[in-house]
Amino acid sequence: MKDWFAGLNQREQLSLLVLGIALGLYVVYMAVWSPLSSKRDELAQQNAAIAQSLTRVDAMVSELVQLRSSGVSTGGKRNLTSLINQSTRRLQLPVSRLQPNSRGEIQVRLESAAFDDVLGWLYEMEYKEGLLVREVSITETGTTGRINATVRIAQAG
């Protein structure tokens, strides 16, 4: 190979050296610089997403502090069963099943209840009592304005 290179004229040798250097720089760019650049861009995107999440968490914390200062109850373990029994009795909602589960949640089945009364009760549970309404399933009955609903409620926090 050395003899072959020495047999070329000076112009061809210079051209091969320039081509070799260019090829070496291309390989370095493709093997090192390009992956580092793409990884840097990926990390910048992750950083922006985390910053957005942090902004949302800060907003939720501010809202929680504001709710606590305004007197909305957000903590303290209470007897969910008695609280739900009292509120449904007071609003005259027809409870057909009240079933606690192992996670501390309670599933409430309401049958042939007035839609507006159920919405008012859900609002009261979440905003006045500070409970979490985890899941609501509503189906129609044959009567206008009446529904069957299954609600899963849990303590906040």
Side-chain angles (χ1 to χ4, degrees), residues 46-89:
Q46 287 176 355
N47 192 21
I50 289 171
Q52 286 178 343
S53 293
L54 181 60
T55 302
R56 286 192 304 269
V57 167
D58 285 342
M60 286 188 266
V61 167
S62 297
E63 183 179 351
L64 181 62
V65 168
Q66 182 182 12
L67 287 173
R68 283 186 178 163
S69 67
S70 69
V72 175
S73 174
T74 58
K77 297 292 181 185
R78 297 170 287 175
N79 187 341
L80 279 180
T81 306
S82 66
L83 183 64
I84 291 171
N85 277 333
Q86 290 170 2
S87 64
T88 54
R89 198 174 311 115

Side-chain angles (χ1 to χ4, degrees), residues 50-133:
I50 289 171
Q52 286 178 343
S53 293
L54 181 60
T55 302
R56 286 192 304 269
V57 167
D58 285 342
M60 286 188 266
V61 167
S62 297
E63 183 179 351
L64 181 62
V65 168
Q66 182 182 12
L67 287 173
R68 283 186 178 163
S69 67
S70 69
V72 175
S73 174
T74 58
K77 297 292 181 185
R78 297 170 287 175
N79 187 341
L80 279 180
T81 306
S82 66
L83 183 64
I84 291 171
N85 277 333
Q86 290 170 2
S87 64
T88 54
R89 198 174 311 115
R90 182 173 26 81
L91 296 172
Q92 298 176 348
L93 291 172
V95 177
S96 65
R97 185 178 74 227
L98 192 68
Q99 181 178 3
N101 68 19
S102 62
R103 294 182 302 266
E105 302 170 342
I106 293 186
Q107 186 175 24
V108 182
R109 175 73 179 166
L110 305 168
E111 291 191 6
S112 191
F115 180 72
D116 293 338
D117 292 343
V118 172
L119 288 183
W121 176 68
L122 291 172
Y123 177 84
E124 181 180 318
M125 292 293 98
E126 198 158 81
Y127 291 101
K128 292 183 180 175
E129 297 296 337
L131 300 175
L132 295 176
V133 177

Side-chain angles (χ1 to χ4, degrees), residues 16-29:
L16 280 175
L17 284 175
V18 169
L19 180 64
I21 290 171
L23 183 62
L25 290 174
Y26 177 76
V27 167
V28 167
Y29 174 78

